[in-house]
């Protein structure tokens, strides 16, 4: 089977790495990929090929597919899904895994998602959406400025602002407005208190199969300090939840979600990833994503035992209930290594040579997934804010953490140590 994978971030490297373990895969290419993906090999020894086509360039992705004639196309990135890549590829006669444009609305419109939750009783933060600045301010005032402002549309994880004062609300409005069409509609939610956890499901249009729990660490600094990032690391399972608690949370969200999808005629095939706040009043959905989390994907896929191609085929065909999906016991950790300046402007760091990757082969059960990397004259260099996701798995969380941090200390970007958080999966309960 020949596979076309759309994307080039850390979660896409993890997807490619897992796909390559399937006996069914005889050829795989990725667009655009990254230096790590380009270094991967198939079981038959063939190399993965990367093509310089951006994930959101749906038309060029389609031209590439018409040339390459894949048997299966895989997309787990929000931008192309929101642009309707699945509908376009299906119209072109391709078999593609991912949500159609209507199903991707769960991630692409926070206002619609909020409406869906309220309509079908999915527990969520109370909120309303407004177009006018005056209406945003009036509603935020009613919440005593303790609120979260969110751009309705996609904003590369930079569209949500936690506010406590009128000035913060005004500042958030002006930043959201600069996002263009994504920020024309603004969702204002009550500010929930609690801690966050991530849920992931494989969906097939009718049912949902729960993956293990995980916790992302969103702020740049330890213990929730500093601005939000795309995610600085993940631990799976969530060390602070029992399996029973996790199942209860999943049921509270998914029972009404599945009923709502059926009533609305939404054919959701792919991964659903609800970000959830565990509050004193129970779990509440903060956002729905129509894809794997990054870096949750990395921690999940290193523990997945079942052939990913089989899961994807069953998800497309509506057969997930006939599949027994199994996971390695124990824990996994992903520590993200970022370049200086991230989550702000880190463009000056581009081109720095990454050293230490070769020494990582000495560590058992460790996989360095690449995100913002590229090849220059045969060397792996920095090409983005989040650069590597060092992912480890072990019987115990402590063992997995130890290996991840030993490995992190081996890596340099140029002569400098990368930026990373030291408390991923640590004993201090992360708040963000
Ligand atoms: P989102 O993009 O909607 O997931 O928001 C990004 C981050 O903002 C979340 O991971 C939370 O840390 C925070 N956040 C979002 N919505 C809320 C809320 N209603 N209450 C408290 N924190 C929130
Ligand atoms: N883990 C955060 C995200 O993928 O949006």
């Amino acid at each position: 089977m020949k596979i076309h994978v759309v994307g080039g971030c850390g979660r896409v490297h993890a997807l490619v790495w897992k796909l390559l373990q399937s006996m069914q895969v005889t050829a795989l290419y990725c667009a655009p990929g990254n230096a790590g993906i380009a270094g991967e090999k198939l079981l038959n020894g063939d190399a993965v090929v990367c093509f310089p086509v951006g994930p959101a360039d749906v038309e060029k992705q389609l031209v590439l597919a018409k040339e390459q004639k894949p048997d299966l196309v895989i997309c787990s990135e929000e931008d192309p899904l929101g642009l309707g890549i699945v509908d376009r590829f299906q119209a072109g006669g391709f078999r593609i895994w991912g949500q159609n444009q209507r199903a991707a609305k769960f991630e692409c419109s926070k206002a619609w998602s909020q409406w869906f939750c309220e309509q079908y009783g999915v527990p969520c933060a109370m909120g309303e959406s407004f177009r006018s600045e005056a209406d945003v301010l009036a509603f935020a005032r009613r919440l005593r400025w303790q609120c979260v402002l969110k751009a309705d549309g996609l904003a590369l994880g930079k569209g949500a602002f936690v506010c406590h004062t009128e000035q913060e609300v005004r500042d958030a409005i002006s930043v959201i407005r600069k996002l263009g069409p994504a920020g024309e509609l603004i969702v204002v939610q009550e500010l929930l208190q609690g801690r966050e956890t991530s849920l992931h499901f494989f969906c097939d249009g009718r049912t949902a199969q729960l993956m293990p729990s995980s916790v992302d660490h969103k702020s740049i600094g330890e213990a929730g300090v500093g601005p939000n990032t795309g995610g600085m690391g993940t631990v799976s399972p969530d060390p602070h939840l029992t399996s029973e608690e996790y199942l209860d949370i999943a049921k509270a969200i998914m029972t009404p979600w599945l009923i709502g999808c059926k009533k609305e005629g939404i054919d959701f095939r792919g991964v659903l990833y609800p970000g959830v706040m565990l509050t004193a009043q129970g779990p509440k959905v903060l956002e729905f994503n129509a894809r794997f989390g990054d870096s949750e994907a990395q921690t999940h896929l290193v523990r997945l035992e079942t052939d990913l191609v089989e899961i994807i085929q069953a998800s497309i065909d509506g057969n997930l209930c006939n599949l027994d999906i199994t996971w390695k016991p124990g824990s996994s950790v992903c520590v993200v290594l970022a370049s200086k300046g991230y989550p702000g402007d880190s463009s000056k760091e581009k081109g720095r040579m990454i050293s230490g990757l070769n020494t990582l082969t000495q560590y058992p059960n460790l996989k360095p997934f690449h995100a913002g990397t590229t090849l220059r004259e045969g060397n792996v260099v920095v090409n983005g804010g989040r650069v590597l996701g060092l992912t480890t798995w072990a019987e115990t969380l402590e063992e997995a953490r130890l290996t991840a941090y030993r490995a992190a200390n081996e890596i340099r970007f140029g002569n400098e140590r990368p930026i990373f958080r030291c408390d991923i999966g640590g004993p201090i309960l992360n708040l963000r």
Side-chain angles (χ1 to χ4, degrees), residues 65-76:
K66 283 181 179 160
E67 282 163 18
Q68 295 292 323
K69 302 188 174 41
D71 303 295
L72 177 63
V73 183
I74 291 173
C75 181
S76 190

Side-chain angles (χ1 to χ4, degrees), residues 364-383:
N365 298 349
L366 171 117
K367 178 69 192 172
F369 290 118
H370 290 225
T373 68
T374 193
L375 285 170
R376 190 174 291 171
E377 290 154 13
N379 296 312
V380 180
V381 301
V382 169
N383 195 38

Side-chain angles (χ1 to χ4, degrees), residues 359-425:
T359 63
L360 300 188
T361 48
Q362 66 178 297
Y363 297 101
N365 298 349
L366 171 117
K367 178 69 192 172
F369 290 118
H370 290 225
T373 68
T374 193
L375 285 170
R376 190 174 291 171
E377 290 154 13
N379 296 312
V380 180
V381 301
V382 169
N383 195 38
R386 288 193 292 174
V387 181
L388 295 167
L390 302 184
T391 309
T392 56
W393 59 101
E395 269 175 37
T396 65
L397 169 58
E398 273 322 300
E399 228 180 303
R401 291 190 74 222
L402 200 65
T403 311
Y405 282 112
R406 280 200 179 133
N409 284 321
E410 307 268 7
I411 303 291
R412 296 286 180 276
F413 299 163
N415 293 322
E416 292 185 16
R417 289 163 64 90
I419 309 289
F420 59 88
R421 275 179 65 161
C422 293
D423 63 345
I424 306 301

Side-chain angles (χ1 to χ4, degrees), residues 151-425:
D152 174 52
L154 296 178
L156 294 168
K158 292 176 184 168
F161 299 86
V162 173
C163 304
H164 300 93
T165 64
E166 178 174 356
Q167 193 54 49
E168 283 174 350
V169 170
R170 287 183 183 278
D171 292 346
I173 295 172
S174 63
V175 179
I176 290 174
R177 287 296 193 223
K178 289 196 185 104
L179 295 170
E184 274 167 17
L185 191 59
I186 297 179
V187 181
V188 187
Q189 286 181 341
E190 65 176 323
L191 179 65
L192 294 175
Q193 303 295 335
R195 75 170 187 93
E196 289 176 53
T197 197
S198 301
L199 274 69
H200 281 73
F201 301 87
F202 288 115
C203 301
D204 67 358
R206 292 182 301 156
T207 57
Q209 283 236 23
L210 183 61
M211 296 184 217
S213 60
S214 51
V215 191
D216 187 12
H217 297 60
K218 289 229 168 87
S219 69
I220 186 75
E222 275 129 31
V225 173
N228 261 350
T229 68
M232 292 302 291
T234 297
V235 55
S236 173
D238 181 337
H240 310 289
L241 281 181
T242 65
S243 329
E244 290 74 27
E245 285 166 337
Y246 182 55
L247 270 180
D248 286 347
I249 295 165
K251 274 192 205 140
I253 293 164
M254 283 318 268
T255 307
W257 185 87
L258 284 166
I259 292 171
C261 283
K262 195 168 173 199
K263 289 230 168 97
E264 293 293 319
I266 294 168
D267 188 8
F268 195 103
R269 293 170 202 238
V271 171
L272 180 74
Y273 150 32
V276 173
M277 185 74 90
L278 304 175
T279 74
Q281 291 76 42
K284 298 198 178 183
V285 171
L286 296 176
E287 60 159 356
F288 280 118
N289 301 286
R291 54 173 174 85
F292 268 110
D294 191 336
S295 49
E296 288 92 330
Q298 291 86 320
T299 55
H300 286 328
L301 292 167
V302 295
R303 289 180 56 217
L304 177 62
E305 289 175 327
T306 311
D307 183 333
L308 182 58
V309 176
E310 261 185 59
I311 297 175
I312 288 174
Q313 301 280 34
S315 169
I316 296 175
D317 293 333
N319 279 334
L320 273 177
C321 58
N322 295 325
L323 199 64
D324 184 21
I325 300 177
T326 61
W327 307 87
K328 280 192 186 77
S331 286
S332 49
V333 171
C334 175
V335 175
V336 170
L337 308 188
S339 41
K340 212 164 59 189
Y342 182 75
D345 182 14
S346 60
S347 55
K348 281 206 300 272
E349 304 301 303
K350 279 193 180 178
R352 273 186 187 269
M353 191 128 84
I354 302 175
S355 59
L357 283 169
N358 291 340
T359 63
L360 300 188
T361 48
Q362 66 178 297
Y363 297 101
N365 298 349
L366 171 117
K367 178 69 192 172
F369 290 118
H370 290 225
T373 68
T374 193
L375 285 170
R376 190 174 291 171
E377 290 154 13
N379 296 312
V380 180
V381 301
V382 169
N383 195 38
R386 288 193 292 174
V387 181
L388 295 167
L390 302 184
T391 309
T392 56
W393 59 101
E395 269 175 37
T396 65
L397 169 58
E398 273 322 300
E399 228 180 303
R401 291 190 74 222
L402 200 65
T403 311
Y405 282 112
R406 280 200 179 133
N409 284 321
E410 307 268 7
I411 303 291
R412 296 286 180 276
F413 299 163
N415 293 322
E416 292 185 16
R417 289 163 64 90
I419 309 289
F420 59 88
R421 275 179 65 161
C422 293
D423 63 345
I424 306 301

